[in-house]
Amino acid sequence: MTGEPVPLRPDLVALSGYHSPQVEVEVRLNTNESPLPPPPQWVEDLRAELSRMAFNRYPDRDATELRAALGALHGLGPDRVFCANGSNEVLQCLLLAYGGAGRSVALFEPTYALHRHIAALTATEVVSGWRLPDHRLDLDVVAGVLERARPVITFLCSPNNPTGRAEPPDVVARVLELAPGLVVVDEAYGQFAPWSALDLVSGGAPGSERLVVVRTFSKTWSMAACRLGYLVAAPDVAAACAAVVLPYHLDTVKQAAGRLALHYVEAMEERVALITEERGRIAAALGELDVESWPSDANFVLFRPHRRSASDVWQDLLDRSVLVRDCSTWPGLDECLRVTVGTPAENDRFLAALRAALDGPGR
Ligand code: PMP
């Protein structure tokens, strides 16, 4: 046998990974994490549970207590909840269960890149349409795409990453009417928005048995390091995901971390209030600068420098030890940058650095 490299699956050859540069900076505003650590008492609670944990045993395969606690949080039974290692793994399980060769999913660009990426990893065809220039969904485009492709899953992202707006309730309800299959509403930033599609799930809206809402502990819960996400859906959807995920995928530490976090809803809501206020301050400041910016219902703001290129501004910010996300090569986002809302001090650093960067030499 010669040492020929084994060829990659042909449909994956053109696929590049999804990576945000990880560089050492003083002000990290590129991946939409919470700028604040979790409550200190939560760390103490977790420490106490760790000291009692049976590390020689596999975890509870069904994450029974965690799912019950999440169900209770949303006023639903545990059979409506499925948990995994971050909402990305939740999305992957949905695609393993419902996607695959010969099936398609629909999405509307610009939107969260991982919906397309995970679909490709699971050999699921992606059909897409464009949003309007102001980034709202165009329901005529949605209707056309869904009519033509009959996708097994239609992805919405609300608030939409990286553009920022939440989809209004009537838009989600209309997409649910138009879609032939599941409608997955990715609410990674749901707590920052004025409403949630969870209201449609628990309210039993028409088609709600096909509605899936995906949430994460990575943002508002200040637990990105834990990798924990979940979905709320009809019991058959939750069961389908549980059937495709690897056995014992959710370790005991993480199950406890998530369950204990739910004792701190009030602390989480205080953080959301602080970040929402800071988002308003950033939006107002951007309004005074030489950039175009878009309104946000999330913990980040998308903007486009007018006079200087996005990459020059990004580099100038980095030179001042402020890291934001360069979205300028993403579909439909020419010359755009995205800044995560940080602590008040971090946001001051960002705004001062941006003012200086925008004064630099033009394109
Ligand atoms: N959905 C959206 C819209 C996101 O922006 C992110 C994080 N970038 C995720 C899902 C994934 O989050 P996690 O896997 O950390 O739960």
Side-chain angles (χ1 to χ4, degrees):
M1 297 294 267
T2 57
E4 287 288 300
V6 179
L8 190 62
R9 232 173 69 194
D11 58 319
L12 295 186
V13 170
L15 216 62
S16 63
Y18 169 84
H19 300 297
S20 185
Q22 287 200 308
V23 286
E24 276 310 310
V25 284
E26 288 163 17
V27 181
R28 181 177 303 283
L29 302 175
N30 65 330
T31 46
N32 300 342
E33 294 144 315
S34 170
L36 303 167
Q41 190 54 47
W42 171 83
V43 181
E44 288 309 311
D45 297 352
L46 186 56
R47 216 190 295 276
E49 288 235 4
L50 278 175
S51 68
R52 293 192 296 270
M53 225 164 250
F55 277 95
N56 54 321
R57 299 294 176 195
Y58 281 114
D60 172 10
R61 194 169 160 170
D62 298 323
T64 317
E65 287 183 49
L66 174 60
R67 285 172 44 242
L70 282 165
L73 179 73
H74 299 304
L76 296 164
D79 58 335
R80 314 278 308 258
V81 180
F82 168 74
C83 301
N85 294 286
S87 47
N88 282 338
E89 193 183 35
V90 174
L91 297 168
Q92 185 187 52
C93 290
L94 283 165
L95 280 155
L96 287 172
Y98 295 100
R103 295 182 164 210
S104 69
V105 298
L107 49 85
F108 300 92
E109 298 280 13
T111 192
Y112 182 45
L114 262 276
H115 295 163
R116 181 182 287 281
H117 185 74
I118 302 172
L121 292 178
T122 57
T124 312
E125 187 192 348
V126 177
V127 289
S128 58
W130 288 103
R131 288 166 178 268
L132 293 161
D134 66 1
H135 301 149
R136 280 180 306 130
L137 271 187
D138 181 335
L139 283 172
D140 291 334
V141 168
V142 174
V145 167
L146 301 189
E147 181 59 40
R148 272 195 310 282
R150 312 300 294 164
V152 71
I153 293 176
T154 301
F155 284 108
L156 298 179
C157 186
S158 179
N160 188 40
N161 180 12
T163 59
R165 281 331 275 276
E167 303 300 350
D170 55 322
V171 168
V172 177
R174 181 72 187 130
V175 174
L176 206 48
E177 278 172 14
L178 293 168
L182 297 178
V183 174
V184 173
V185 185
D186 183 338
E187 289 196 353
Y189 307 95
Q191 291 94 333
F192 297 105
W195 86 287
S196 166
L198 285 166
D199 300 346
L200 298 181
V201 180
S202 52
S208 60
E209 69 289 348
R210 290 181 292 107
L211 181 61
V212 181
V213 180
V214 179
R215 289 211 154 188
T216 179
F217 281 74
S218 297
K219 319 291 176 177
T220 36
W221 291 99
S222 300
M223 285 169 58
C226 273
R227 312 299 302 122
L228 180 60
Y230 64 99
L231 63 71
V232 174
D236 61 315
V237 175
C241 289
V244 296
V245 77
L246 292 175
Y248 308 116
H249 67 298
L250 215 57
D251 66 74
T252 307
V253 179
K254 181 173 313 192
Q255 293 186 33
R259 182 167 41 73
L260 294 169
L262 300 183
H263 298 164
Y264 297 94
V265 172
E266 223 170 275
M268 185 270 277
E269 284 170 349
E270 282 166 17
R271 284 140 203 265
V272 170
L274 170 76
I275 289 166
T276 308
E277 198 178 316
E278 283 295 299
R279 178 182 76 204
R281 193 164 74 84
I282 292 177
L286 291 178
E288 308 275 296
L289 295 176
D290 192 19
V291 301
E292 178 177 12
S293 61
W294 287 270
S296 171
D297 297 311
N299 66 338
F300 54 82
V301 181
L302 186 75
F303 65 98
R304 175 188 282 145
H306 278 145
R307 202 177 51 81
R308 297 200 74 200
S309 74
S311 56
D312 286 351
V313 172
W314 184 85
Q315 186 61 52
D316 264 22
L317 291 172
L318 187 58
D319 293 344
R320 293 172 169 85
S321 208
V322 176
L323 182 61
V324 300
R325 196 69 186 264
D326 184 352
C327 313
S328 58
T329 58
W330 299 3
L333 294 174
D334 286 352
E335 300 299 332
C336 284
L337 299 171
R338 186 194 69 195
V339 60
T340 304
V341 179
T343 61
E346 288 173 328
N347 301 332
D348 286 342
R349 279 280 303 270
F350 160 68
L351 288 170
L354 182 63
R355 282 190 192 97
L358 292 175
D359 277 343
R363 284 181 241 186

